[in-house]
Amino acid sequence: MKKDAGALREKIVKAGLKPPETLTLMITDACNLNCPHCLLDCKGPGGVKVSSDIIISIIDEFSALGGKRLLVTGGEPLLHPDWYEILSHACKSPGLSEVVLQTNGVMITGKEIKKLKLLDSAIFKIQVSLDGSTPETNDLIRERGNFNATLSAIKQLIEEGLGKRIDIAFTEMQHNFYEIPEMLKLADTLGVGSFIAGTLIKAGRARNSEWIRLPDKSQVRSLIELYESKPEFRRLYDRTGCISAIEWFKGRDIPADHVCNCISMPFINASGKMYPCVMNLDDELAVGNVHEDGLNAVILKGIEKWAHLPLLDKERAESFEKCKSCPGREHCRGGCIGREKAVNGNEISVEDRCELRREVYYFE
């Protein structure tokens, strides 16, 4: 397997692509929630649960290919009957440096916590979704009672010594963005590993939700002003946080050698389709069935289909008139291809966060 994996890596690099390093693997599309911002438009509890034998085979191929980071996701992965066996196998896979369970937290009770404690591995982490610092804000997006149930799960995990393995994941939206300082305080007070935030993608289920919007420029500017003017907040953030706008601000003078991570961050959905990046879920770029053909065979099939993406990345960075005078041009390089295709169906235009980025890049 190692010999075949080595030859495949050579072909990937020769095509101008990046070998898979972080794999997001959907083990089920079943979910116990019905969030209106769900990018993948997941199913109810009765959705597909992928055979654990298939999942384990994919993990083995990914590991042999030199993969480092595995994100086990859904839907809600705890709805998969073999979730523990899958995570246990992943944590023992040679070469992997991080295994992350992405969960909404609602199903984490005493029984699940006992199993999670058994995953006594330095590489294991738990990413729990929380979209507000109060029940009113969080439950608006994640259903009534979710905040208290999720916070209870986090506290139980902390009591069992798993606190530093927890990342709280937050989706930045207009209605909850102002709570980011409180979310950072909450994460720090709880003693979890980190608070990470990513900007809403107005696609999937969110496309049809009029009230769910990206943060606006004034919100982003206020957050940067807080980071710049309040040393206490800055220390808290640097200790605990990772938020899009602040990371843009910190890196705005640092040129990026690329934007597109194809295919270093691939995504495999619950029906076995493989996409070149977890951010680029364009069905025109989907390849496979990984469940039937295996990971290596599908990547080999996809190389020709994905080889144009780095070239497109370079073309975007050099062609946009709007970018030429922007002080963050070399840092942003036109933004994310996947986001723009998902939101507007167009790969050759600046991404939907352009105005937010410019607010940061022009900040003085």
Side-chain angles (χ1 to χ4, degrees), residues 35-41 201-209 342-343:
C35 303
H37 66 314
C38 181
L39 179 62
L40 300 174
D41 195 11
I201 300 177
K202 189 72 172 171
R205 207 176 288 163
R207 188 185 304 279
N208 299 317
S209 300
V343 175

Side-chain angles (χ1 to χ4, degrees), residues 59-332:
I59 293 171
D60 288 345
E61 285 192 277
F62 175 62
S63 173
L65 194 56
K68 300 298 181 186
R69 189 166 183 255
L70 177 70
L71 308 181
V72 177
T73 194
E76 171 49 59
L78 295 182
L79 282 171
H80 195 293
D82 301 324
W83 66 266
Y84 173 77
E85 288 74 15
I86 291 167
L87 289 172
S88 180
H89 182 85
C91 287
K92 297 170 185 173
S93 296
L96 293 188
S97 58
E98 190 169 82
V99 175
V100 182
L101 169 67
Q102 294 184 321
T103 174
N104 59 48
V106 175
M107 296 184 64
I108 297 178
T109 58
K111 182 176 68 173
E112 285 71 30
I113 290 173
K114 285 180 181 178
K115 288 186 175 181
L116 290 168
K117 281 192 70 176
L118 291 174
L119 295 169
D120 187 19
S121 169
I123 69 171
F124 177 61
K125 297 182 76 173
I126 307 165
Q127 188 181 103
V128 184
S129 298
L130 199 64
D131 286 325
S133 63
T134 64
E136 291 75 19
T137 304
N138 178 82
D139 294 359
L140 186 64
I141 203 83
R142 289 192 170 270
E143 302 185 3
R144 187 174 182 178
N146 175 269
F147 180 85
N148 289 332
T150 303
L151 194 59
S152 174
I154 292 172
K155 289 178 177 178
Q156 289 180 68
L157 289 168
I158 292 168
E159 287 172 4
E160 294 297 330
L162 298 172
K164 290 301 179 183
R165 297 184 186 274
I166 301 171
D167 295 331
I168 292 178
F170 177 90
T171 303
E172 303 165 2
M173 294 172 272
Q174 194 173 115
H175 78 278
N176 68 0
F177 195 83
Y178 71 95
E179 290 191 0
I180 283 178
E182 290 304 316
M183 290 295 297
L184 278 166
K185 289 178 186 176
L186 175 63
D188 192 57
T189 300
L190 288 169
V192 300
S194 66
F195 169 75
I196 56 177
T199 316
L200 169 76
I201 300 177
K202 189 72 172 171
R205 207 176 288 163
R207 188 185 304 279
N208 299 317
S209 300
E210 289 296 327
W211 65 274
I212 298 176
R213 300 183 180 92
L214 271 69
D216 62 36
K217 293 191 294 183
S218 66
Q219 290 177 312
V220 167
R221 185 172 188 83
S222 293
L223 186 65
I224 299 302
E225 288 173 347
L226 184 63
Y227 182 79
E228 275 288 88
S229 64
K230 301 293 184 184
E232 184 178 346
F233 176 79
R234 187 161 59 249
R235 285 192 294 270
L236 173 63
Y237 176 81
D238 291 342
R239 185 166 64 243
T240 307
C242 182
I243 297 164
S244 302
I246 294 178
E247 293 305 305
W248 300 336
F249 180 72
K250 290 169 67 176
R252 62 180 175 172
D253 296 324
I254 303 172
D257 61 350
H258 71 281
V259 173
C260 182
N261 286 306
C262 178
I263 58 174
S264 69
M265 299 173 62
F267 171 72
I268 300 173
N269 73 9
S271 41
K273 287 184 180 179
M274 182 171 178
Y275 296 82
C277 179
V278 68
M279 293 298 293
N280 197 338
L281 305 181
D282 179 5
D283 279 334
E284 293 178 4
L285 296 174
V287 178
N289 193 315
V290 179
H291 297 168
E292 295 178 358
D293 301 329
L295 180 64
N296 289 354
V298 169
I299 291 176
L300 187 61
K301 191 183 299 183
I303 287 174
E304 185 176 350
K305 196 169 190 177
W306 301 325
H308 75 287
L309 290 171
L311 301 176
L312 179 60
D313 177 37
K314 185 177 180 181
E315 178 186 342
R316 284 165 49 86
E318 296 175 352
S319 64
F320 299 142
E321 288 297 324
K322 194 171 186 178
C323 297
K324 290 180 180 178
S325 61
C326 179
R329 176 179 182 270
E330 294 302 319
H331 178 256
C332 174

